Amino acid sequence: QQQEAQQRQQEAQRSVRYRFDKRQEPSLQTDLRAVDELFANFDCKHVYLDIGTDIGVQIRKLYQPKLYPHATAQAAFEEDFGRGSRCNVCTFGFEPNPEHSERLDTVQSKLRAHGIGVHIFKKAAYTSYTKLQFATGRKDKKEQQITHVEAIDLAPIVQRIYGHLGKGGIITAKMDIEGDEFALLPHLERSQALCLISRIQMVWHPQYYEELEGRKAAAALGLLPRVFGRPHKFGSIAVLQTLQRATHRRTFAACLDQ
């Protein structure tokens, strides 16, 4: 009986739609306007979310594939957006590191000058609007300093983006956020924003969780692990693997009540 009661409670929690009082968060209004403006000014048929942008290399891989022919992400980009021009793919980046701010402004302005819609939020993608501790500086030289950065609730941003997309438009993403993926992914599922994303290229961080736990989390969220290219390790970053929905959106776990 206790197990049945817990199961009913979980089902009830899953069926509750995500609610966010936009009037209580003025920063959200500003961020939603940034989304609206990008769609108003550029031809955004599809959207790429670069969650954990760093210095913007992944964005350049999307729009300048010839410079990165052996990049692991290229297989996913070609499958989602084809091999031709990707000017109709708009990108929203999320990077809170103040050390990268100037470089990211350059990346954004140069791509926009070529007619490509790119907007990089100088905030961390997270579960709410808050402040997070963030380490800046180089790890190998032990010169890191702790600072506080702004965080953004990613769920309403994804929902706003999806509302702008026309028929056939898709959202794909890369997520490399230093362990916060284990908080953000369940949040996106509870808000039903996760079911709006067709593909997420994940970087699991074993210093916080084992890769096995990452696979369990993916399975629990109804995601199917699939690896593009050779699995590899780079410093503290675990195996880079691509996650795809195992089933159609209407049967995806986060959307059963739609």
Side-chain angles (χ1 to χ4, degrees), residues 222-242:
L223 298 168
L224 178 67
R226 187 152 67 102
V227 177
F228 280 97
R230 284 183 71 184
H232 63 282
K233 289 188 177 181
F234 180 77
S236 62
I237 298 177
V239 175
L240 176 65
Q241 59 191 31
T242 297

Side-chain angles (χ1 to χ4, degrees), residues 24-25 87 127:
Q24 296 181 3
E25 185 47 71
C87 292
T127 62

Side-chain angles (χ1 to χ4, degrees), residues 133-148:
Q133 287 189 341
F134 190 88
T136 61
R138 297 185 59 178
K139 296 180 182 179
D140 56 344
K141 291 190 175 182
K142 298 182 180 180
E143 296 177 353
Q144 286 190 310
Q145 295 181 343
I146 302 299
T147 185
H148 288 84

Side-chain angles (χ1 to χ4, degrees), residues 106-160:
T106 300
V107 171
Q108 176 176 296
S109 62
K110 286 188 174 182
L111 288 172
R112 285 192 173 196
H114 286 83
I116 299 173
V118 175
H119 181 84
I120 301 175
F121 292 99
K122 307 299 177 53
K123 303 177 182 180
Y126 198 57
T127 62
S128 63
Y129 279 85
T130 184
K131 293 279 189 178
L132 297 177
Q133 287 189 341
F134 190 88
T136 61
R138 297 185 59 178
K139 296 180 182 179
D140 56 344
K141 291 190 175 182
K142 298 182 180 180
E143 296 177 353
Q144 286 190 310
Q145 295 181 343
I146 302 299
T147 185
H148 288 84
V149 298
E150 290 188 53
I152 188 173
D153 187 344
L154 185 60
I157 301 299
V158 172
Q159 292 165 343
R160 186 63 155 245

Side-chain angles (χ1 to χ4, degrees), residues 92-109:
F92 292 92
F94 303 85
E95 179 53 55
N97 192 335
E99 295 179 349
H100 302 330
S101 181
E102 184 176 351
R103 180 164 182 167
L104 292 177
D105 285 341
T106 300
V107 171
Q108 176 176 296
S109 62

Side-chain angles (χ1 to χ4, degrees), residues 4 21 34 36 51 74 78 85 92 94 100 138 149 154 157 166 168 185 195 228 243 257:
E4 291 177 355
D21 190 347
D36 297 341
I51 307 169
Q74 291 301 343
E78 290 179 6
S85 173
F92 292 92
F94 303 85
H100 302 330
R138 297 185 59 178
V149 298
L154 185 60
I157 301 299
L185 282 171
C195 64
F228 280 97
L243 302 180
D257 59 336

